[in-house]
Amino acid sequence: MSGKFFSKAIAVIFGIIIAISFLAFTLCWNKEEEVSQVVKQLSQPVIKWQKITIEEEPKKFLISLRIPEVAIYTNDSLSEKINGDVAGYIGALKDIFIRGVKTAADDNGEASTLNIDTEILLMSPRLISLAFTSSDHFSGSKAGDPKRTYLIFDLEKGEMMREGNELFRDDLAWAEAIRIMKPLLLSKYDGEPSCDLMFAPKQEALSASCIGVDYSNEDKGPFSIFGDIPISAIQEFVAPWALKEIFQPGES
Amino acid sequence: MIKSIQLNFTKIKYAGNSVGRDIRVEVEAFGKFFRVDKRIKAGETKSIDQEILRLETVQDVLQSDLAINVIEKDLLFSDTGSLKSSIKIDVVSEKSQILRFNVEVMESRSLLSKLFWGGRKAIFELEFEAIIGDVERYIPDTKDGWFLTLNNKDGNTSLPEYLKLILRYKKGGREYFMLTEGVNMGELWSVTLKNDGSSYLISDVQHGPMAQATYSISRKILTLNGINYKAADDPKNPWDKGVYDIEIPDYPHGGGLRYSEAKKGTVWFRIGHDDSRYLHPGLVSAGCISIAETERWMEIYSILIKARKGDNRSVGVLKVID
């Protein structure tokens, strides 16, 4: 009698242990589900624009900036990070200009100017792609060509892309795509520039720029060129997920 | 044109009678005072080779009053001879000019010595050398490693830190200079003067010997001064084994702005003199040698930026091995 009772008690205890384990597993599973759901449920970013004008005397300069302010309502920290990176990047361009005004610009009463215009090239569920077109003119010198640079943000990873290699199948594919894009971009330029290629995705294409110098030019000044690269030129190298983002109908 | 003048006291010749051995020479010229003590016997010539002053001028001729005192030091009876004259340096015609002045020193110990031995007179010939040269300066250090200037064609260009140059002239609140090294060597550039009239350009720079780096293709490691750095290259655009020059930086490479932790990440060093292949901070490579430890870029930069190979183009060499 006592033996049967004992066996039943053991069975009940085992049952309880199994039930607790199952519940714990289920809870854990649900927690993971919740995390992945948070990622998936990022709200579509909203961008507000700020126009900033900075003037300074006596060494006159005038800076006009159009800066985006990204808001992702379900993820404040990601919004802050993106806005911080953008502010840091534009701040660096502004700092370079102001130091240049001090050391290079003529003090002839004319104002040196910097204009940075920002454009959203692509805003998809996973990517925010921004282009910055900066034009500067230092008093006493010729205005330089406008320069276009880019910042790309991967919302899923929550970080800025440094080189954009993540958009490609692998690093070799990225390098191969660079080798294809650079001569394509420079094909209409009649000179021998030495420049670095930069690019960012836009709707069904890549926007690309090359900034450097052209010593074959008699001015030997800074060189800048930009344009679009059709995605068909490098499609085979682009990661499938990135192709999906570039081709999906959305805001651009 | 701005020139530098270095005036050296080169020699002293002791002729005539002996008035003693402990000689002090005091020179005053161009508003500066200089003194040297020398032990010398009558009949001897001794070299001094001491710099008296260094000046920069835009004038063709530099002229100043000159006052020289020669003193034979004695506890009781010091004998002194003086000369008031002028000194004139032709800045345009010659690189080195020798200037000589004679100063007589009469012994004046006592009436008795004058009576028995007569007046003893020493003649000191003092030789000076004026060396005319260019005024060397360097591009100053900056936050991002670049210093913006204008060229004589009204364009603007950024120049890397510690680039050597020769000052040419000052005009309209600007300094004009000629670069003596780097990709823009030989061209005339200008920079503003600071509000207080002083110069942005610096003089206290000592370039170091050429840097010698090694890159191992198989290990993906760059070694500089015995320290290893993880790097990346492009296997589809491989490096040939061999020795390449590492160039003085050419222009700001905007890609480096995305590596803010590298600090001076837009300063890249071209490898070789022909292709667009650089040593720079970066996580991937499309043909360059990218230093993947981007936060350590300043360790490499600080060595390379002040190193010089001696060809006016390069900071050192890179040996690419298997």
Side-chain angles (χ1 to χ4, degrees), chain B residues 166-194:
Chain B
I166 290 172
L167 273 187
R168 283 295 182 232
Y169 55 92
K170 292 181 186 179
K171 191 179 167 187
R174 303 184 73 86
E175 278 183 301
Y176 291 79
F177 58 87
M178 189 80 85
L179 293 171
T180 61
E181 57 179 4
V183 289
N184 297 300
M185 184 170 60
E187 291 177 45
L188 191 67
W189 300 81
S190 75
V191 59
T192 62
L193 292 165
K194 290 181 188 173

PDB file of all heavy atoms in Angstrom, chain B residues 166-194:
ATOM      1  N   ILE B 166      59.119  76.641 -48.293  1.00  0.00           N
ATOM      2  CA  ILE B 166      60.017  77.795 -48.190  1.00  0.00           C
ATOM      3  C   ILE B 166      59.171  79.052 -48.293  1.00  0.00           C
ATOM      4  O   ILE B 166      58.376  79.197 -49.236  1.00  0.00           O
ATOM      5  CB  ILE B 166      61.063  77.766 -49.330  1.00  0.00           C
ATOM      6  CG1 ILE B 166      62.048  76.629 -49.102  1.00  0.00           C
ATOM      7  CG2 ILE B 166      61.789  79.098 -49.424  1.00  0.00           C
ATOM      8  CD1 ILE B 166      62.983  76.412 -50.265  1.00  0.00           C
ATOM      9  N   LEU B 167      59.327  79.939 -47.322  1.00  0.00           N
ATOM     10  CA  LEU B 167      58.575  81.200 -47.358  1.00  0.00           C
ATOM     11  C   LEU B 167      59.107  82.071 -48.481  1.00  0.00           C
ATOM     12  O   LEU B 167      60.326  82.180 -48.670  1.00  0.00           O
ATOM     13  CB  LEU B 167      58.758  81.955 -46.041  1.00  0.00           C
ATOM     14  CG  LEU B 167      57.827  81.640 -44.884  1.00  0.00           C
ATOM     15  CD1 LEU B 167      58.075  82.627 -43.760  1.00  0.00           C
ATOM     16  CD2 LEU B 167      56.376  81.691 -45.301  1.00  0.00           C
ATOM     17  N   ARG B 168      58.200  82.699 -49.213  1.00  0.00           N
ATOM     18  CA  ARG B 168      58.626  83.584 -50.293  1.00  0.00           C
ATOM     19  C   ARG B 168      58.423  85.050 -49.933  1.00  0.00           C
ATOM     20  O   ARG B 168      59.348  85.815 -49.943  1.00  0.00           O
ATOM     21  CB  ARG B 168      57.873  83.243 -51.587  1.00  0.00           C
ATOM     22  CG  ARG B 168      58.403  82.006 -52.273  1.00  0.00           C
ATOM     23  CD  ARG B 168      59.832  82.286 -52.724  1.00  0.00           C
ATOM     24  NE  ARG B 168      60.416  81.171 -53.427  1.00  0.00           N
ATOM     25  CZ  ARG B 168      61.594  80.643 -53.114  1.00  0.00           C
ATOM     26  NH1 ARG B 168      62.259  81.080 -52.084  1.00  0.00           N
ATOM     27  NH2 ARG B 168      62.102  79.665 -53.822  1.00  0.00           N
ATOM     28  N   TYR B 169      57.198  85.427 -49.613  1.00  0.00           N
ATOM     29  CA  TYR B 169      56.947  86.823 -49.230  1.00  0.00           C
ATOM     30  C   TYR B 169      55.622  86.927 -48.493  1.00  0.00           C
ATOM     31  O   TYR B 169      54.827  85.970 -48.463  1.00  0.00           O
ATOM     32  CB  TYR B 169      56.952  87.743 -50.456  1.00  0.00           C
ATOM     33  CG  TYR B 169      56.004  87.345 -51.560  1.00  0.00           C
ATOM     34  CD1 TYR B 169      54.704  87.852 -51.611  1.00  0.00           C
ATOM     35  CD2 TYR B 169      56.411  86.477 -52.574  1.00  0.00           C
ATOM     36  CE1 TYR B 169      53.840  87.491 -52.628  1.00  0.00           C
ATOM     37  CE2 TYR B 169      55.552  86.109 -53.594  1.00  0.00           C
ATOM     38  CZ  TYR B 169      54.273  86.628 -53.624  1.00  0.00           C
ATOM     39  OH  TYR B 169      53.417  86.259 -54.614  1.00  0.00           O
ATOM     40  N   LYS B 170      55.410  88.111 -47.895  1.00  0.00           N
ATOM     41  CA  LYS B 170      54.145  88.414 -47.224  1.00  0.00           C
ATOM     42  C   LYS B 170      53.502  89.578 -47.964  1.00  0.00           C
ATOM     43  O   LYS B 170      54.185  90.539 -48.323  1.00  0.00           O
ATOM     44  CB  LYS B 170      54.385  88.811 -45.766  1.00  0.00           C
ATOM     45  CG  LYS B 170      54.888  87.678 -44.907  1.00  0.00           C
ATOM     46  CD  LYS B 170      55.090  88.132 -43.471  1.00  0.00           C
ATOM     47  CE  LYS B 170      55.730  87.013 -42.657  1.00  0.00           C
ATOM     48  NZ  LYS B 170      55.967  87.384 -41.274  1.00  0.00           N
ATOM     49  N   LYS B 171      52.202  89.489 -48.181  1.00  0.00           N
ATOM     50  CA  LYS B 171      51.515  90.554 -48.908  1.00  0.00           C
ATOM     51  C   LYS B 171      50.030  90.488 -48.575  1.00  0.00           C
ATOM     52  O   LYS B 171      49.433  89.402 -48.604  1.00  0.00           O
ATOM     53  CB  LYS B 171      51.713  90.333 -50.423  1.00  0.00           C
ATOM     54  CG  LYS B 171      51.283  91.487 -51.289  1.00  0.00           C
ATOM     55  CD  LYS B 171      51.568  91.114 -52.747  1.00  0.00           C
ATOM     56  CE  LYS B 171      50.888  92.059 -53.688  1.00  0.00           C
ATOM     57  NZ  LYS B 171      51.014  91.615 -55.079  1.00  0.00           N
ATOM     58  N   GLY B 172      49.462  91.644 -48.258  1.00  0.00           N
ATOM     59  CA  GLY B 172      48.023  91.738 -48.044  1.00  0.00           C
ATOM     60  C   GLY B 172      47.488  90.791 -46.981  1.00  0.00           C
ATOM     61  O   GLY B 172      46.430  90.195 -47.161  1.00  0.00           O
ATOM     62  N   GLY B 173      48.216  90.653 -45.900  1.00  0.00           N
ATOM     63  CA  GLY B 173      47.754  89.807 -44.805  1.00  0.00           C
ATOM     64  C   GLY B 173      47.892  88.316 -45.071  1.00  0.00           C
ATOM     65  O   GLY B 173      47.276  87.490 -44.379  1.00  0.00           O
ATOM     66  N   ARG B 174      48.700  87.975 -46.087  1.00  0.00           N
ATOM     67  CA  ARG B 174      48.903  86.553 -46.402  1.00  0.00           C
ATOM     68  C   ARG B 174      50.396  86.251 -46.508  1.00  0.00           C
ATOM     69  O   ARG B 174      51.194  87.129 -46.836  1.00  0.00           O
ATOM     70  CB  ARG B 174      48.247  86.190 -47.747  1.00  0.00           C
ATOM     71  CG  ARG B 174      46.762  86.487 -47.826  1.00  0.00           C
ATOM     72  CD  ARG B 174      46.189  86.012 -49.148  1.00  0.00           C
ATOM     73  NE  ARG B 174      46.085  84.572 -49.199  1.00  0.00           N
ATOM     74  CZ  ARG B 174      45.046  83.886 -48.743  1.00  0.00           C
ATOM     75  NH1 ARG B 174      44.021  84.508 -48.215  1.00  0.00           N
ATOM     76  NH2 ARG B 174      45.029  82.565 -48.805  1.00  0.00           N
ATOM     77  N   GLU B 175      50.738  85.006 -46.272  1.00  0.00           N
ATOM     78  CA  GLU B 175      52.107  84.532 -46.489  1.00  0.00           C
ATOM     79  C   GLU B 175      52.106  83.637 -47.710  1.00  0.00           C
ATOM     80  O   GLU B 175      51.255  82.741 -47.829  1.00  0.00           O
ATOM     81  CB  GLU B 175      52.570  83.695 -45.296  1.00  0.00           C
ATOM     82  CG  GLU B 175      53.060  84.508 -44.134  1.00  0.00           C
ATOM     83  CD  GLU B 175      53.580  83.610 -43.027  1.00  0.00           C
ATOM     84  OE1 GLU B 175      52.802  82.776 -42.533  1.00  0.00           O
ATOM     85  OE2 GLU B 175      54.739  83.751 -42.652  1.00  0.00           O
ATOM     86  N   TYR B 176      53.050  83.873 -48.604  1.00  0.00           N
ATOM     87  CA  TYR B 176      53.157  83.061 -49.820  1.00  0.00           C
ATOM     88  C   TYR B 176      54.354  82.131 -49.676  1.00  0.00           C
ATOM     89  O   TYR B 176      55.411  82.550 -49.198  1.00  0.00           O
ATOM     90  CB  TYR B 176      53.304  83.971 -51.045  1.00  0.00           C
ATOM     91  CG  TYR B 176      52.037  84.747 -51.326  1.00  0.00           C
ATOM     92  CD1 TYR B 176      51.723  85.883 -50.577  1.00  0.00           C
ATOM     93  CD2 TYR B 176      51.139  84.320 -52.287  1.00  0.00           C
ATOM     94  CE1 TYR B 176      50.544  86.571 -50.809  1.00  0.00           C
ATOM     95  CE2 TYR B 176      49.956  85.013 -52.524  1.00  0.00           C
ATOM     96  CZ  TYR B 176      49.665  86.133 -51.780  1.00  0.00           C
ATOM     97  OH  TYR B 176      48.494  86.809 -51.989  1.00  0.00           O
ATOM     98  N   PHE B 177      54.169  80.899 -50.091  1.00  0.00           N
ATOM     99  CA  PHE B 177      55.246  79.928 -49.901  1.00  0.00           C
ATOM    100  C   PHE B 177      55.281  78.912 -51.030  1.00  0.00           C
ATOM    101  O   PHE B 177      54.311  78.718 -51.751  1.00  0.00           O
ATOM    102  CB  PHE B 177      55.094  79.219 -48.547  1.00  0.00           C
ATOM    103  CG  PHE B 177      53.782  78.499 -48.365  1.00  0.00           C
ATOM    104  CD1 PHE B 177      53.611  77.193 -48.794  1.00  0.00           C
ATOM    105  CD2 PHE B 177      52.712  79.129 -47.746  1.00  0.00           C
ATOM    106  CE1 PHE B 177      52.403  76.543 -48.614  1.00  0.00           C
ATOM    107  CE2 PHE B 177      51.503  78.477 -47.562  1.00  0.00           C
ATOM    108  CZ  PHE B 177      51.349  77.176 -48.007  1.00  0.00           C
ATOM    109  N   MET B 178      56.441  78.284 -51.147  1.00  0.00           N
ATOM    110  CA  MET B 178      56.671  77.262 -52.166  1.00  0.00           C
ATOM    111  C   MET B 178      56.870  75.930 -51.446  1.00  0.00           C
ATOM    112  O   MET B 178      57.671  75.836 -50.521  1.00  0.00           O
ATOM    113  CB  MET B 178      57.952  77.626 -52.924  1.00  0.00           C
ATOM    114  CG  MET B 178      58.220  76.806 -54.146  1.00  0.00           C
ATOM    115  SD  MET B 178      57.247  77.375 -55.530  1.00  0.00           S
ATOM    116  CE  MET B 178      58.261  78.686 -56.161  1.00  0.00           C
ATOM    117  N   LEU B 179      56.148  74.908 -51.892  1.00  0.00           N
ATOM    118  CA  LEU B 179      56.309  73.590 -51.265  1.00  0.00           C
ATOM    119  C   LEU B 179      57.571  72.916 -51.801  1.00  0.00           C
ATOM    120  O   LEU B 179      57.850  72.984 -53.002  1.00  0.00           O
ATOM    121  CB  LEU B 179      55.093  72.714 -51.553  1.00  0.00           C
ATOM    122  CG  LEU B 179      53.796  73.180 -50.898  1.00  0.00           C
ATOM    123  CD1 LEU B 179      52.624  72.386 -51.424  1.00  0.00           C
ATOM    124  CD2 LEU B 179      53.874  73.053 -49.386  1.00  0.00           C
ATOM    125  N   THR B 180      58.307  72.285 -50.919  1.00  0.00           N
ATOM    126  CA  THR B 180      59.545  71.634 -51.363  1.00  0.00           C
ATOM    127  C   THR B 180      59.414  70.110 -51.372  1.00  0.00           C
ATOM    128  O   THR B 180      60.384  69.407 -51.597  1.00  0.00           O
ATOM    129  CB  THR B 180      60.739  72.037 -50.468  1.00  0.00           C
ATOM    130  OG1 THR B 180      60.451  71.619 -49.128  1.00  0.00           O
ATOM    131  CG2 THR B 180      60.965  73.521 -50.498  1.00  0.00           C
ATOM    132  N   GLU B 181      58.218  69.608 -51.077  1.00  0.00           N
ATOM    133  CA  GLU B 181      58.017  68.156 -51.113  1.00  0.00           C
ATOM    134  C   GLU B 181      56.524  67.856 -51.292  1.00  0.00           C
ATOM    135  O   GLU B 181      55.683  68.750 -51.170  1.00  0.00           O
ATOM    136  CB  GLU B 181      58.547  67.503 -49.829  1.00  0.00           C
ATOM    137  CG  GLU B 181      57.909  68.064 -48.565  1.00  0.00           C
ATOM    138  CD  GLU B 181      58.417  67.401 -47.298  1.00  0.00           C
ATOM    139  OE1 GLU B 181      59.318  66.554 -47.372  1.00  0.00           O
ATOM    140  OE2 GLU B 181      57.877  67.710 -46.230  1.00  0.00           O
ATOM    141  N   GLY B 182      56.239  66.600 -51.603  1.00  0.00           N
ATOM    142  CA  GLY B 182      54.845  66.182 -51.773  1.00  0.00           C
ATOM    143  C   GLY B 182      54.353  66.378 -53.201  1.00  0.00           C
ATOM    144  O   GLY B 182      55.081  66.867 -54.069  1.00  0.00           O
ATOM    145  N   VAL B 183      53.106  66.006 -53.433  1.00  0.00           N
ATOM    146  CA  VAL B 183      52.570  66.028 -54.807  1.00  0.00           C
ATOM    147  C   VAL B 183      52.435  67.440 -55.363  1.00  0.00           C
ATOM    148  O   VAL B 183      52.374  67.625 -56.577  1.00  0.00           O
ATOM    149  CB  VAL B 183      51.198  65.315 -54.904  1.00  0.00           C
ATOM    150  CG1 VAL B 183      51.337  63.825 -54.740  1.00  0.00           C
ATOM    151  CG2 VAL B 183      50.204  65.878 -53.909  1.00  0.00           C
ATOM    152  N   ASN B 184      52.360  68.446 -54.502  1.00  0.00           N
ATOM    153  CA  ASN B 184      52.230  69.827 -54.967  1.00  0.00           C
ATOM    154  C   ASN B 184      53.556  70.583 -54.914  1.00  0.00           C
ATOM    155  O   ASN B 184      53.574  71.810 -54.912  1.00  0.00           O
ATOM    156  CB  ASN B 184      51.184  70.560 -54.126  1.00  0.00           C
ATOM    157  CG  ASN B 184      49.807  69.950 -54.279  1.00  0.00           C
ATOM    158  OD1 ASN B 184      49.267  69.910 -55.374  1.00  0.00           O
ATOM    159  ND2 ASN B 184      49.235  69.453 -53.197  1.00  0.00           N
ATOM    160  N   MET B 185      54.656  69.847 -54.904  1.00  0.00           N
ATOM    161  CA  MET B 185      55.983  70.443 -54.796  1.00  0.00           C
ATOM    162  C   MET B 185      56.222  71.465 -55.922  1.00  0.00           C
ATOM    163  O   MET B 185      55.842  71.225 -57.065  1.00  0.00           O
ATOM    164  CB  MET B 185      57.039  69.336 -54.878  1.00  0.00           C
ATOM    165  CG  MET B 185      58.451  69.798 -54.680  1.00  0.00           C
ATOM    166  SD  MET B 185      59.587  68.403 -54.507  1.00  0.00           S
ATOM    167  CE  MET B 185      59.371  67.538 -56.037  1.00  0.00           C
ATOM    168  N   GLY B 186      56.833  72.590 -55.558  1.00  0.00           N
ATOM    169  CA  GLY B 186      57.212  73.578 -56.566  1.00  0.00           C
ATOM    170  C   GLY B 186      56.145  74.616 -56.846  1.00  0.00           C
ATOM    171  O   GLY B 186      56.388  75.584 -57.545  1.00  0.00           O
ATOM    172  N   GLU B 187      54.963  74.422 -56.329  1.00  0.00           N
ATOM    173  CA  GLU B 187      53.901  75.395 -56.601  1.00  0.00           C
ATOM    174  C   GLU B 187      53.850  76.447 -55.500  1.00  0.00           C
ATOM    175  O   GLU B 187      54.262  76.210 -54.376  1.00  0.00           O
ATOM    176  CB  GLU B 187      52.562  74.678 -56.704  1.00  0.00           C
ATOM    177  CG  GLU B 187      52.465  73.811 -57.945  1.00  0.00           C
ATOM    178  CD  GLU B 187      51.152  73.052 -57.984  1.00  0.00           C
ATOM    179  OE1 GLU B 187      50.119  73.679 -57.704  1.00  0.00           O
ATOM    180  OE2 GLU B 187      51.175  71.861 -58.285  1.00  0.00           O
ATOM    181  N   LEU B 188      53.312  77.606 -55.890  1.00  0.00           N
ATOM    182  CA  LEU B 188      53.195  78.720 -54.947  1.00  0.00           C
ATOM    183  C   LEU B 188      51.819  78.687 -54.287  1.00  0.00           C
ATOM    184  O   LEU B 188      50.800  78.599 -54.963  1.00  0.00           O
ATOM    185  CB  LEU B 188      53.397  80.044 -55.682  1.00  0.00           C
ATOM    186  CG  LEU B 188      53.565  81.274 -54.797  1.00  0.00           C
ATOM    187  CD1 LEU B 188      54.872  81.222 -54.012  1.00  0.00           C
ATOM    188  CD2 LEU B 188      53.529  82.546 -55.643  1.00  0.00           C
ATOM    189  N   TRP B 189      51.815  78.752 -52.970  1.00  0.00           N
ATOM    190  CA  TRP B 189      50.576  78.700 -52.187  1.00  0.00           C
ATOM    191  C   TRP B 189      50.546  79.873 -51.230  1.00  0.00           C
ATOM    192  O   TRP B 189      51.576  80.491 -50.967  1.00  0.00           O
ATOM    193  CB  TRP B 189      50.521  77.393 -51.376  1.00  0.00           C
ATOM    194  CG  TRP B 189      50.570  76.198 -52.245  1.00  0.00           C
ATOM    195  CD1 TRP B 189      51.690  75.641 -52.787  1.00  0.00           C
ATOM    196  CD2 TRP B 189      49.469  75.455 -52.741  1.00  0.00           C
ATOM    197  NE1 TRP B 189      51.343  74.573 -53.574  1.00  0.00           N
ATOM    198  CE2 TRP B 189      49.985  74.436 -53.566  1.00  0.00           C
ATOM    199  CE3 TRP B 189      48.094  75.535 -52.551  1.00  0.00           C
ATOM    200  CZ2 TRP B 189      49.174  73.518 -54.209  1.00  0.00           C
ATOM    201  CZ3 TRP B 189      47.289  74.611 -53.192  1.00  0.00           C
ATOM    202  CH2 TRP B 189      47.823  73.624 -54.006  1.00  0.00           C
ATOM    203  N   SER B 190      49.379  80.134 -50.681  1.00  0.00           N
ATOM    204  CA  SER B 190      49.318  81.205 -49.682  1.00  0.00           C
ATOM    205  C   SER B 190      48.368  80.843 -48.561  1.00  0.00           C
ATOM    206  O   SER B 190      47.431  80.053 -48.742  1.00  0.00           O
ATOM    207  CB  SER B 190      48.892  82.515 -50.325  1.00  0.00           C
ATOM    208  OG  SER B 190      47.520  82.514 -50.606  1.00  0.00           O
ATOM    209  N   VAL B 191      48.644  81.437 -47.416  1.00  0.00           N
ATOM    210  CA  VAL B 191      47.831  81.226 -46.219  1.00  0.00           C
ATOM    211  C   VAL B 191      47.686  82.572 -45.524  1.00  0.00           C
ATOM    212  O   VAL B 191      48.579  83.422 -45.620  1.00  0.00           O
ATOM    213  CB  VAL B 191      48.503  80.162 -45.314  1.00  0.00           C
ATOM    214  CG1 VAL B 191      49.899  80.595 -44.901  1.00  0.00           C
ATOM    215  CG2 VAL B 191      47.686  79.875 -44.082  1.00  0.00           C
ATOM    216  N   THR B 192      46.569  82.761 -44.854  1.00  0.00           N
ATOM    217  CA  THR B 192      46.372  84.029 -44.156  1.00  0.00           C
ATOM    218  C   THR B 192      47.279  84.096 -42.930  1.00  0.00           C
ATOM    219  O   THR B 192      47.738  83.066 -42.427  1.00  0.00           O
ATOM    220  CB  THR B 192      44.925  84.185 -43.671  1.00  0.00           C
ATOM    221  OG1 THR B 192      44.644  83.140 -42.754  1.00  0.00           O
ATOM    222  CG2 THR B 192      43.938  84.137 -44.814  1.00  0.00           C
ATOM    223  N   LEU B 193      47.508  85.314 -42.474  1.00  0.00           N
ATOM    224  CA  LEU B 193      48.175  85.494 -41.174  1.00  0.00           C
ATOM    225  C   LEU B 193      47.097  85.511 -40.105  1.00  0.00           C
ATOM    226  O   LEU B 193      45.939  85.838 -40.385  1.00  0.00           O
ATOM    227  CB  LEU B 193      48.960  86.807 -41.170  1.00  0.00           C
ATOM    228  CG  LEU B 193      50.182  86.843 -42.093  1.00  0.00           C
ATOM    229  CD1 LEU B 193      50.666  88.274 -42.286  1.00  0.00           C
ATOM    230  CD2 LEU B 193      51.308  85.986 -41.534  1.00  0.00           C
ATOM    231  N   LYS B 194      47.456  85.177 -38.884  1.00  0.00           N
ATOM    232  CA  LYS B 194      46.483  85.220 -37.790  1.00  0.00           C
ATOM    233  C   LYS B 194      46.099  86.676 -37.501  1.00  0.00           C
ATOM    234  O   LYS B 194      46.778  87.601 -37.972  1.00  0.00           O
ATOM    235  CB  LYS B 194      47.090  84.606 -36.527  1.00  0.00           C
ATOM    236  CG  LYS B 194      47.293  83.105 -36.624  1.00  0.00           C
ATOM    237  CD  LYS B 194      47.883  82.596 -35.319  1.00  0.00           C
ATOM    238  CE  LYS B 194      48.274  81.136 -35.433  1.00  0.00           C
ATOM    239  NZ  LYS B 194      49.004  80.653 -34.263  1.00  0.00           N
TER     240      LYS B 194
END
